[in-house]
């Protein structure tokens, strides 16, 4: 499967971030056609104490082609525009393929 | 579940990294008692081209307590020592909890 990952650094206001993320942003993202699964991970620390990262969201698609098709939909564009509006300064995106050893 | 994540930046020599990671490091890690699942993701790009990150490994444990117990085993210490020996300059660790909305 193809995985689109959004990795967020620590937001200035964690409560405000969570409230917006779970109540407004995630529901927008979940509407993207072709999205197979979405996993949100709260980063709760690191071996050295607080992590520089706060949250990771993994969005799964059948393959890269399916992701590219999905990316052109109004739903994906709305989600993308939304994430940049509230987290543009702290988010990094990665394209990934899970390795089956 | 509790997730211990190792996120690797781009190594200088990708072939050498892969060869060592999959043939030497991963087998050491897989021996850690209490490890429930391990997922390796190759970062194949980003919306802006090459990502600053190269690979992510997610190691799952029942909970944080189980991870702490596992961390004290010789197997975990061997894996930790090994990863620092070949990737100490490019690896970041994160502790995570998957959110069930």
């Amino acid at each position: 499967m193809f995985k689109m990952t959004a990795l967020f650094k620590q937001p200035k206001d964690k409560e405000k971030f969570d409230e917006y993320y779970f109540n407004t942003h995630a529901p927008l993202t979940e509407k993207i056609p072709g999205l197979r699964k979405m996993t949100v991970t709260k980063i709760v620390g690191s071996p050295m104490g607080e992590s520089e990262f706060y949250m990771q969201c993994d969005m799964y698609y059948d393959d890269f082609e399916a992701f590219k098709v999905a990316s052109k939909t109004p739903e994906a564009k709305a989600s993308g525009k939304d994430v940049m509006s509230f987290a543009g300064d702290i988010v990094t995106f990665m394209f990934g393929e899970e390795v089956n050893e």
Side-chain angles (χ1 to χ4, degrees), chain A residues 14-34:
Chain A
K14 295 178 174 57
E15 263 185 57
K16 197 174 152 189
F17 180 94
D18 284 5
E19 198 279 328
Y20 190 87
Y21 187 88
F22 290 107
N23 296 320
T24 302
H25 182 66
L28 274 179
T29 305
E30 284 163 355
K31 284 184 193 155
I32 299 174

Side-chain angles (χ1 to χ4, degrees), chain A residues 2 4 7 9 22 27-28 31 34 49 61 69 72 79 85 90-91 101:
Chain A
F2 175 83
M4 163 69 158
L7 182 62
K9 290 189 176 166
F22 290 107
L28 274 179
K31 284 184 193 155
Y61 294 87
V69 170
K72 297 196 174 83
S79 169
S85 76
I90 57 170
V91 69
E101 288 177 65

Side-chain angles (χ1 to χ4, degrees), chain A residues 23-83:
Chain A
N23 296 320
T24 302
H25 182 66
L28 274 179
T29 305
E30 284 163 355
K31 284 184 193 155
I32 299 174
L35 179 70
R36 295 290 175 217
K37 191 176 71 163
M38 181 169 143
T39 307
V40 176
T41 301
K42 275 290 199 82
I43 313 299
V44 295
S46 82
M48 312 298 286
E50 190 182 66
S51 172
E52 72 173 295
F53 299 107
Y54 180 66
M55 187 185 277
Q56 177 166 333
C57 176
D58 294 306
M59 292 152 277
Y60 295 81
Y61 294 87
D62 288 339
D63 51 35
F64 186 51
E65 279 308 308
F67 167 72
K68 280 197 289 185
V69 170
S71 299
K72 297 196 174 83
T73 63
E75 291 87 347
K77 287 177 183 170
S79 169
K81 190 176 169 182
D82 185 65
V83 73

